[in-house]
Amino acid sequence: MAVNNPTGDHFNPPSNMSQDFEEYYFEDLEVDELFWQTNKPKEQQIPWRKTSLTEGRNLKTQKIYSFDRKTKVFQKI
């Protein structure tokens, strides 16, 4: 009979509750698209919305911040 040994399994996919992110440059996003500054689920994940070519709005504080066009940001898949 087969023994279930999760630590010894060679294929251990992430749980279905994990969130997948894709990396983009800030300049590649369209205006009004949502993005995150980190793709790490343990860190505080605050959503942002791009408001212009160089600005984004923090949706938690509703403040607008300037971004460099080559800043790496993340979008949920």
Side-chain angles (χ1 to χ4, degrees):
M1 185 167 159
V3 176
N4 187 7
N5 183 2
T7 57
D9 286 348
H10 294 282
F11 179 71
N12 193 5
S15 71
N16 61 354
M17 298 302 290
S18 67
Q19 297 174 343
D20 292 330
F21 289 90
E22 206 165 305
E23 185 177 302
Y24 293 94
Y25 286 116
F26 186 77
E27 68 182 354
D28 295 336
L29 301 179
E30 298 291 329
V31 173
D32 285 337
E33 280 192 309
L34 288 175
F35 66 94
W36 285 258
Q37 289 187 296
T38 180
N39 64 346
K40 300 186 174 38
K42 300 263 185 212
E43 295 178 15
Q44 185 178 15
Q45 290 188 345
I46 298 171
W48 292 75
R49 184 174 301 278
K50 185 173 179 178
T51 56
S52 70
L53 293 177
T54 59
E55 293 180 329
R57 179 186 303 270
N58 180 319
L59 295 181
K60 185 173 184 179
T61 64
Q62 295 298 312
K63 292 184 181 176
I64 295 178
Y65 294 90
S66 294
F67 285 86
D68 182 48
R69 297 174 65 125
K70 292 294 183 182
T71 300
K72 289 185 179 179
V73 296
F74 302 91
Q75 284 190 310
K76 289 185 180 180
I77 297 176

